[in-house]
Amino acid sequence: MRPRFNAWKEGAILYLPWMAVGLFFALSARQPMLQILAWLFFTAGCGVLCFFRDPPRRTNAAPDEAVAPADGKIVGIEDLDSSPHYDGPCKRISIFLSLFDVHINRAPCEGTVRDIRYKPGAFRAAMGAETTDTNEANAVWLDTPHGPVTVRQIAGLVARRVVCRLAPGDTLQKGEKFGMIKFSSRTELYLPPGTEVSVRLNDKVRAGATVVARFTTHA
């Protein structure tokens, strides 16, 4: 089966021509100032390429375990009585992604896409909890063997584009790549209320690899 999402084709390959131009001027320019500017341009391009890195991940979680949908730091663990992004009470796990984290999103568990809901909004720093209501976001609603699960991709101060390569009716395997948020951002995971959370605030997690919760009921 072909991968649903390819980070390299999504953006990294677009920067290669610009890097080639920078390298050409860095090697051929005779004026020192032009050489310095060209090398800075080329170095910045290398940094952008690193942002699109896609390291291999092995998902070894048990059938009743959910894995992190994004790399980053746990900045919120909450019990909600209600949410516009979930049917009824739920648990919410929030992950902040810095500029240096891998920005690919992965499915926390197996399931079928019930709906995808995009919300336009602002581009504030994604570390703050208020950005869940104010910032541009994309919510993927999943029907899973353990009940409904929602993954929200939230744009940040630098992140200006949310990428999601899914459509209603698509099926996902646990740990499967489905999109990314370009540059720093926030990802939220909404789970059934009885789910046992396996992480703590400020823990670092890796998408598709770190177990963040354990389901206690089945749909």
Side-chain angles (χ1 to χ4, degrees), residues 74-155:
I74 301 294
V75 294
I77 301 172
E78 304 159 272
D79 290 298
L80 304 178
D81 293 330
S82 63
S83 169
H85 315 299
Y86 196 88
D87 294 329
C90 62
K91 287 186 180 291
R92 180 170 67 190
I93 301 175
S94 302
I95 303 170
F96 173 73
L97 296 78
S98 74
L99 283 171
F100 304 102
D101 287 313
V102 175
H103 276 61
I104 293 172
N105 290 121
R106 294 175 178 266
C109 53
E110 69 279 2
T112 301
V113 178
R114 183 205 314 174
D115 197 6
I116 297 176
R117 302 180 188 179
Y118 168 76
K119 182 186 78 67
F123 298 98
R124 299 178 182 175
M127 176 65 79
E130 70 279 358
T131 56
T132 186
D133 299 317
T134 61
N135 283 23
E136 177 176 307
N138 187 71
V140 179
W141 293 59
L142 298 172
D143 289 324
T144 82
H146 314 284
V149 170
T150 302
V151 180
R152 290 190 76 223
Q153 304 166 284
I154 303 174

Side-chain angles (χ1 to χ4, degrees), residues 1-10 54 104-107 109-113 116 140 142 153 163-180:
M1 184 179 66
R2 293 182 58 187
R4 191 187 308 273
F5 180 83
N6 187 305
W8 175 258
K9 292 181 179 179
E10 182 59 43
D54 185 6
I104 293 172
N105 290 121
R106 294 175 178 266
C109 53
E110 69 279 2
T112 301
V113 178
I116 297 176
V140 179
L142 298 172
Q153 304 166 284
V163 180
C164 179
R165 296 295 180 236
L166 294 174
D170 285 348
T171 58
L172 284 168
Q173 299 301 312
K174 186 182 301 184
E176 183 179 352
K177 296 178 288 186
F178 68 85
M180 73 184 306

